[in-house]
């Protein structure tokens, strides 16, 4: 046991530590000297692992975090007069402190509505019908979050519908996949089916919430799109000199399908939490449980009581102002049982 053995919480899947396979991969990749900035054999191997996983000749880049990954991926399609369309409840819109516009000078974010965190096809069509003359920004990218900020899932056919419309208006399709692994686990399809086969041009595959210590992978499915990506990484401070350690973590996570096993586990724990909370009368579930999140409206005294006994979670997230409870790769059944028992205890 470490001297920092903190209690597990449902606050966020980025509160969890890093999984043993990733720690082992870091240890394995440490001895000796390797060339810096990604021209090393470990990084090449990790890029190949993504080609294998996605069953296509994709080009993958490893960056430190999701905000930069999204901003740089979107920006790689955009000029200064362009806009990116995304859901109102998306990380790009509400959790990136204007980074997309800061890192891509002039870029505008335009929000689109839709139920349960998903862009509605009709609303998307409406947004594209807007002004396209020289005086307005030109839509260039549509950004989807999968699983969404409200814990719901876009299935391959839903992505394909949006992507078809995007393509007919010359828009590129970006997916913020901070929880892409949870989305694949939930959709029960292949990573390819949930990305390029459905029309996705660039995917940010989240590692941090899937078991890495840190790091996200930016996966381009059309190689021409990414030719100048390394310059964007460098300018924004996202080009790791010891790239091998970002890359090696992925080798640990992708080997033996660990990424998917962990995501399935997190989703299963969320399902258990969801079904148990649904049985408590004072608890109101807010959105369908399709990933590793449960959104639930808990009475104010219950929230206070849970805090009193040491639980930490965000208690006012998204429409409906409910609690957001996130399960992680390391959440246990006992964690869920204890949380639910405490909800009952203070309810
Ligand atoms: C966590 C998260 C990210 C990544 O954010 P960083 O803190 O910048 O790594 C991106 N998108 C979504 C939907 C997230 O939940």
């Amino acid at each position: 046991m470490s001297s920092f053995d903190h209690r597990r919480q449902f606050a966020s899947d980025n509160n969890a530590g890093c999984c043993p396979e990733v720690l082992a991969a870091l240890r394995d990749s440490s001895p000796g000297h390797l060339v810096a900035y990604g021209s090393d054999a470990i990084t090449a191997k990790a890029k190949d692992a993504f080609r294998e996983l996605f069953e296509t000749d994709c080009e993958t880049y490893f960056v430190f975090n999701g905000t930069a990954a999204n901003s740089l991926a979107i920006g790689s399609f955009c000029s200064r007069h362009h806009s990116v369309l995304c859901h109102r409840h998306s990380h790009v819109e509400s959790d990136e402190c204007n980074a997309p516009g800061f890192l891509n000078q002039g870029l505008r974010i335009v929000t689109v509505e839709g139920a349960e965190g998903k862009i509605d096809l009709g609303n998307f069509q409406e947004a594209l019908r807007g002004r396209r003359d020289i005086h307005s920004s030109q839509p260039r990218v549509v950004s989807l979050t999968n699983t969404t900020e409200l814990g719901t899932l876009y299935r391959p056919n839903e992505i394909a519908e949006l992507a078809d419309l995007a393509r007919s208006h010359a828009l590129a399709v970006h997916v913020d996949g901070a929880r892409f692994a949870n989305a694949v686990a939930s959709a029960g399809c292949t990573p390819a089916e949930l990305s390029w086969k459905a029309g996705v041009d660039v995917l940010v595959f989240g590692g941090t919430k899937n078991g890495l210590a840190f790091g996200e992978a930016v996966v381009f499915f059309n190689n021409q799109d990414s030719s100048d990506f390394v310059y964007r990484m460098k300018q924004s401070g996202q080009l790791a000199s010891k790239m091998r350690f970002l890359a090696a973590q992925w080798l640990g996570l992708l080997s033996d399908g660990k990424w998917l096993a962990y995501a399935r586990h997190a989703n299963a724990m969320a399902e258990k939490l969801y079904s148990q909370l649904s049985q408590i009368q004072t608890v109101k579930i807010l959105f369908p449980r399709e990933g590793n999140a449960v959104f639930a409206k808990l009475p104010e005294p219950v929230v206070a009581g849970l805090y009193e006994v040491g639980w930490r979670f965000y208690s006012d997230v998204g429409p409906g102002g409910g609690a957001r409870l996130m399960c992680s790769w390391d959440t246990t059944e006992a964690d869920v049982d204890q949380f639910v028992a405490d909800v009952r205890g203070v309810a």
Side-chain angles (χ1 to χ4, degrees):
M1 195 182 285
S2 111
S3 50
F4 300 103
D5 193 29
H6 303 295
R7 158 180 184 170
R8 282 183 299 274
Q9 298 282 355
F10 293 94
S12 178
D13 32 2
N14 66 15
N15 283 200
C18 99
C19 68
E21 294 78 8
V22 167
L23 278 178
L26 281 168
R27 210 175 299 117
D28 285 354
S29 58
S30 188
H33 286 205
L34 275 180
V35 63
Y37 301 111
S39 307
D40 62 285
I42 295 173
T43 301
K45 197 171 168 195
K47 284 172 176 253
D48 275 341
F50 276 91
R51 292 188 182 100
E52 197 179 319
L53 183 68
F54 283 95
E55 307 169 80
T56 189
D57 188 22
C58 51
E59 201 55 54
T60 304
Y61 301 88
F62 305 106
V63 299
F64 292 110
N65 58 47
T67 297
N70 285 335
S71 298
L72 297 179
I74 290 166
S76 68
F77 294 91
C78 295
S79 297
R80 289 181 286 194
H81 57 288
H82 283 139
S83 53
V84 51
L85 275 54
C86 60
H87 195 278
R88 184 157 67 87
H89 296 292
S90 66
H91 204 268
V92 165
E93 156 67 4
S94 53
D95 291 87
E96 300 192 346
C97 194
N98 306 349
F102 174 72
L103 291 171
N104 307 289
Q105 195 190 0
L107 180 72
R108 179 164 176 244
I109 296 174
V110 175
T111 60
V112 184
E113 297 289 330
E116 294 169 349
K118 290 155 72 172
I119 290 180
D120 172 82
L121 190 66
N123 290 344
F124 181 31
Q125 204 145 25
E126 200 55 44
L128 291 171
R129 224 180 266 132
R131 277 178 59 189
R132 299 295 284 271
D133 62 23
I134 199 169
H135 304 286
S136 70
S137 67
Q138 306 297 305
R140 179 67 185 98
V141 176
V142 61
S143 173
L144 312 175
T145 308
N146 209 15
T147 54
T148 72
E149 286 285 349
L150 302 183
T152 53
L153 171 76
Y154 286 101
R155 289 165 187 81
N157 64 309
E158 297 171 299
I159 295 176
E161 269 187 342
L162 292 164
D164 282 351
L165 185 58
R167 199 156 324 283
S168 69
H169 288 77
L171 267 67
V173 180
H174 160 262
V175 168
D176 173 354
R179 301 187 179 91
F180 182 72
N182 305 92
V184 172
S186 181
C189 65
T190 66
E193 284 165 343
L194 204 57
S195 56
W196 63 273
K197 286 186 178 175
V200 174
D201 296 295
V202 64
L203 164 72
V204 175
F205 191 143
T208 307
K209 289 168 181 153
N210 192 201
L212 262 54
F214 51 85
E216 317 280 291
V218 183
V219 187
F220 286 90
F221 297 108
N222 174 358
N223 288 352
Q224 292 129 266
D225 295 334
S226 70
S227 47
D228 70 349
F229 198 72
V230 284
Y231 303 111
R232 293 173 178 275
M233 285 169 62
K234 180 65 185 176
Q235 285 188 321
S236 58
Q238 288 282 325
L239 186 72
S241 63
K242 292 193 180 179
M243 184 69 80
R244 81 211 230 205
F245 293 112
L246 275 176
Q249 293 185 72
W250 283 103
L251 289 175
L253 193 65
L254 297 187
S255 65
D256 297 328
K258 273 288 156 192
W259 67 278
L260 186 56
Y262 281 133
R264 281 187 180 135
H265 171 80
N267 289 3
M269 292 302 101
E271 177 56 32
K272 183 179 164 76
L273 182 61
Y274 170 89
S275 68
Q276 291 194 22
L277 287 179
S278 312
Q279 290 161 22
I280 302 176
Q281 234 182 6
T282 53
V283 175
K284 182 169 170 261
I285 301 287
L286 294 175
F287 310 112
R289 197 290 310 163
E290 295 180 323
N292 59 327
V294 177
F295 283 78
K297 187 89 184 159
L298 308 169
E300 207 45 60
V302 174
V303 173
L306 289 168
Y307 261 70
E308 192 90 347
V309 295
W311 290 109
R312 295 290 177 267
F313 53 89
Y314 294 99
S315 59
D316 182 3
V317 181
R324 188 194 75 159
L325 304 166
M326 300 302 310
C327 293
S328 312
W329 66 272
D330 68 346
T331 301
T332 66
E333 301 212 9
D335 295 336
V336 174
D337 290 339
Q338 187 60 56
F339 185 83
V340 173
D342 287 341
V343 172
R344 288 187 186 281
V346 298

